[in-house]
Amino acid sequence: MTDLATSLPPGVLLDVHAAGALSLGDVHVAQKVAHLFGEADQSVQLALALAVRALRAGSTCLELADLGREALDTDEDSVGIPADLLPDPVAWRTALAVSPMVTVGADGDGDRPLRLTGGLLYLERYWQEESLVAEQLVRRFAQAPESVAPSALEAARAELLSHDTDVDQATAAVVPVLTGVTVVAGGPGTGKTHTVARLLGMLRRTLPTPPLVALAAPTGKAAVRMQEALAEAAVELPADLAASLETLEATTIHRLLGWVPDSRNRFAHHRGNPLPHDVVVVDEASMVNVTLMARLLEALRPQARLVLVGDPDQLAPVEAGAVLADIVDAQPGADLTEPLAELGLPASGPVVRLRHNYRSVAGIAELAAAVLAGDADRALDLAGAGAGGVRFAPTVEQTDLRERVTAAGVAMVGAAREGRVGDALALLEEHRLLCAHRRGPYGVAVWSRQVEEWIASAMDGFDPTLAWYPGRPLLVTQNSPELGLYNGDTGVVVAQDGALRAFFARGSRTHAVSPFLLEGVQTIHAMTVHKAQGSQFDQVTVVLPTPDSPLLTQELLYTAITRAKTEVTLIGSADALARAVRQRARRASGLRERL
């Protein structure tokens, strides 16, 4: 078969591809679609190819004016777009405006593959998805839910929210009674699950009839963790409310909507067959992409309440869109100051930020705050001071990483050989080595092998080349609901009664599976920051790549730092740390401006 990319005629599409900024797939799509619509202008073909590239990088659209600023370089293998190869902006926009491939403006039938609105160029499907999300959110933020008697609200507040309750948590617990969409935004340790338990209690106490509640999360792992955390938080509630929470079963958003086999985005529940629930709570909402959010919103009953819970500052979804971050930035919805003031709570809208970190030590919380503020000088000062749970070193040799991971690995293998499941799982969660990259000298593959070599040199009989061995730390990489395992679950292989079993923590319980039934798993002596999202460890070591890495962003650094409870060690140059603090992961989207 002829390679379309290598048979391109001279022009801007060929030049940008030759510079390494476009994949063969990007070029092939552009060529095939252009042929179908009779578009010979390579500048228009380039725009389509770049829109496809932007989608792979997590953006819902292409910001034409910002392409020279490397806005799309979010993959470790990506190459920046050479600004000097891009067409003149005015001539480029003119060519797009008259192209048979482009619909111009917000109106139109949407029968063309591209849509140009303002300075944003969309693939038509993602324009439609973003439009649906924007329209649904605007309507739901604006609509007033069924009224609640002030006396009932005051009584519930007095019962469930004591005067020493964190004021942000108290506000977030009340807001869902007053509005159709609530966002509870906060980092690790800010009490999001504690707050969700109380807001569900507030709704149950104040609504005329007990609401039918659904708990959902974007991944199976997050759903399991949500249910476990709510069960722990429920014990602090009155007995009847605790009992009602214990009956709730968290599930994935896909399973809640009724995923249709052999289809990525078709579900049993939709606008014509909505979900029956009165309240839907979505945890880890920062991981929900624009397409899945569109399907969820259109499947909600018109009067259903939606509660989105998550950390808008951490890494965005792997797929296109950063819906939670866009909502938090936009701060949409009605001002709820008056009804909140009557309860002695501060002014707020439907978006409530939980600001106090109750879990991480002060130094980690301060460093995370400096990163989010983009204050590189402050971050370098905190990291360099070596106090408060934060350490910083330019090389591995200047840390105790080898001693730390070797001691933990030897102890974990020993516990696993002796059948001590609880000890092995506890050791797994004590420390985690995190990398930005999957491959290369700063990647997971290299560091996992290095840790195995360190353990092998310190322990007789340890052979990491075996497929299964006691003490092998596991990361599940694909959903296996029939085994009770989900992408992101972590566990340890343990020897028990002469056989090997893979054990996974489930709150205070454990879940055991024969390792020989496992298919999508990998060894996790090290893991990517992306894979660590939603997890917490006592101590974390982060290997920073070189300053020119496209993955070195504020969101990645913040996510890595906030995985640690008591200590975080950063290994890398001062330049790399400063660049990560200053460089935001730029996902192009028009949602923020439409809310």
Side-chain angles (χ1 to χ4, degrees):
M1 181 181 294
T2 302
D3 183 351
L4 294 176
T6 60
S7 62
L8 282 174
V12 66
L13 183 61
L14 176 62
D15 293 342
V16 176
H17 169 66
L22 291 173
S23 72
L24 292 177
D26 301 332
V27 176
H28 285 178
V29 170
Q31 285 279 282
K32 290 179 179 178
V33 174
H35 175 73
L36 289 174
F37 282 81
E39 177 57 81
D41 189 332
Q42 278 206 21
S43 71
V44 177
Q45 296 173 17
L46 172 65
L48 174 56
L50 290 174
V52 173
R53 182 186 193 265
L55 189 65
R56 289 192 292 104
S59 293
T60 58
C61 57
L62 188 70
E63 293 180 295
L64 295 173
D66 291 335
L67 285 178
R69 291 161 45 185
E70 301 182 341
L72 305 179
D73 295 345
T74 58
D75 184 84
E76 59 189 89
D77 299 321
S78 65
V79 175
I81 304 169
D84 60 335
L85 294 181
L86 295 175
D88 172 75
V90 175
W92 201 7
R93 184 179 173 83
T94 299
L96 288 167
V98 299
S99 172
M101 293 203 304
V102 181
T103 300
V104 180
D107 300 323
D109 295 333
D111 55 355
R112 301 181 181 188
L114 293 171
R115 184 176 292 261
L116 180 65
T117 172
L120 303 179
L121 183 70
Y122 289 82
L123 296 174
E124 179 63 28
R125 174 190 161 188
Y126 286 88
W127 163 260
Q128 297 293 345
E129 302 284 37
E130 189 177 279
S131 296
L132 190 153
V133 170
E135 291 163 5
Q136 283 279 334
L137 286 174
V138 167
R139 180 178 65 78
R140 292 177 182 277
F141 274 121
Q143 73 184 25
E146 56 191 303
S147 61
V148 171
S151 59
L153 190 54
E154 291 172 3
R157 192 237 196 272
E159 178 188 14
L160 300 176
L161 306 169
S162 63
H163 289 293
D164 59 354
T165 300
D166 179 301
V167 68
D168 295 329
Q169 294 179 12
T171 303
V174 171
V175 164
V177 180
L178 308 173
T179 185
V181 179
T182 302
V183 175
V184 181
T190 55
K192 294 189 294 294
T193 304
H194 175 91
T195 302
V196 168
R198 274 149 187 78
L199 73 80
L200 290 175
M202 290 291 296
L203 289 169
R204 191 171 178 86
R205 283 287 190 260
T206 56
L207 297 182
T209 57
L212 180 61
V213 177
L215 305 177
T219 67
K221 175 187 174 182
V224 169
R225 190 169 53 247
M226 180 187 193
Q227 187 162 339
E228 292 170 350
L230 271 177
E232 293 174 3
V235 300
E236 301 175 5
L237 296 175
D240 64 317
L241 295 181
S244 70
L245 282 183
E246 289 171 0
T247 65
L248 299 177
E249 182 177 351
T251 186
T252 64
I253 299 173
H254 284 80
R255 293 182 70 183
L256 175 68
L257 294 176
W259 177 69
V260 176
D262 302 320
S263 172
R264 291 186 63 189
N265 297 307
R266 287 178 56 235
F267 299 96
H269 290 287
H270 44 73
R271 197 188 307 272
N273 180 33
L275 291 163
H277 304 90
D278 304 299
V279 180
V280 175
V281 182
V282 178
D283 198 15
E284 296 289 356
S286 65
M287 299 167 64
V288 181
N289 62 68
V290 69
T291 297
L292 188 56
M293 185 63 76
R295 300 291 80 77
L296 175 63
L297 286 166
E298 66 180 356
L300 295 178
R301 293 171 51 241
Q303 296 301 318
R305 286 172 166 87
L306 175 66
V307 180
L308 300 175
V309 184
D311 185 352
D313 298 312
Q314 71 175 7
L315 288 164
V318 174
E319 296 181 284
V323 177
L324 185 70
D326 283 342
I327 296 172
V328 172
D329 286 347
Q331 291 288 317
D335 185 350
L336 305 175
T337 297
E338 185 174 341
L340 290 171
E342 293 175 359
L343 298 170
L345 295 172
S348 179
V351 177
V352 184
R353 268 200 180 264
L354 308 184
R355 291 165 290 189
H356 188 79
N357 186 329
Y358 293 92
R359 187 182 303 163
S360 299
V361 298
I364 294 174
E366 289 177 21
L367 179 59
V371 171
L372 291 182
D375 190 342
D377 291 338
R378 175 65 175 158
L380 286 166
D381 287 344
L382 288 168
V390 178
R391 300 193 300 169
F392 181 45
T395 66
V396 172
E397 290 71 25
Q398 292 174 277
T399 71
D400 64 350
L401 177 63
R402 176 169 183 169
E403 292 77 9
R404 177 176 296 184
V405 299
T406 300
V410 168
M412 187 165 61
V413 172
R417 287 175 175 176
E418 296 170 9
R420 292 184 283 118
V421 176
D423 290 342
L425 287 171
L427 286 162
L428 179 67
E429 301 303 306
E430 276 190 6
H431 175 267
R432 190 57 50 87
L433 176 59
L434 300 180
C435 304
H437 290 212
R438 298 184 303 274
R439 302 178 298 277
Y442 304 96
V444 166
V446 167
W447 282 101
S448 286
R449 287 195 300 270
Q450 179 64 79
V451 172
E452 287 179 338
E453 291 174 6
W454 285 341
I455 298 173
S457 66
M459 189 174 203
D460 292 336
F462 177 74
D463 183 3
T465 64
L466 297 174
W468 302 107
Y469 57 85
R472 181 186 173 191
L474 302 175
L475 172 68
V476 176
T477 58
Q478 68 181 38
N479 292 330
S480 299
E482 71 280 4
L483 299 178
L485 296 176
Y486 300 93
N487 185 7
D489 279 343
T490 57
V492 182
V493 177
V494 178
Q496 274 198 339
D497 302 322
L500 294 179
R501 303 282 284 173
F503 284 87
F504 300 84
R506 290 288 185 267
S508 59
R509 302 175 294 105
T510 59
H511 178 66
V513 177
S514 169
F516 303 102
L517 297 177
L518 301 178
E519 295 182 358
V521 293
Q522 64 186 49
T523 304
I524 52 157
H525 292 296
M527 69 192 303
T528 63
V529 178
H530 271 89
K531 287 290 187 182
Q533 283 190 97
S535 300
Q536 284 244 283
F537 313 97
D538 288 334
Q539 302 168 348
V540 163
T541 298
V542 185
V543 177
L544 299 174
T546 55
D548 60 351
S549 168
L551 298 186
L552 202 54
T553 64
Q554 186 182 110
E555 289 80 0
L556 180 129
L557 181 60
Y558 166 81
T559 303
I561 289 169
T562 54
R563 298 315 93 197
K565 298 177 184 177
T566 62
E567 183 178 278
V568 60
T569 300
L570 302 171
I571 301 175
S573 69
D575 287 344
L577 178 57
R579 179 176 172 85
V581 173
R582 295 188 179 113
Q583 180 168 271
R584 295 292 306 273
R586 300 183 63 255
R587 287 202 169 189
S589 164
L591 180 61
R592 189 180 309 111
E593 288 70 31
R594 301 169 74 180
L595 294 178

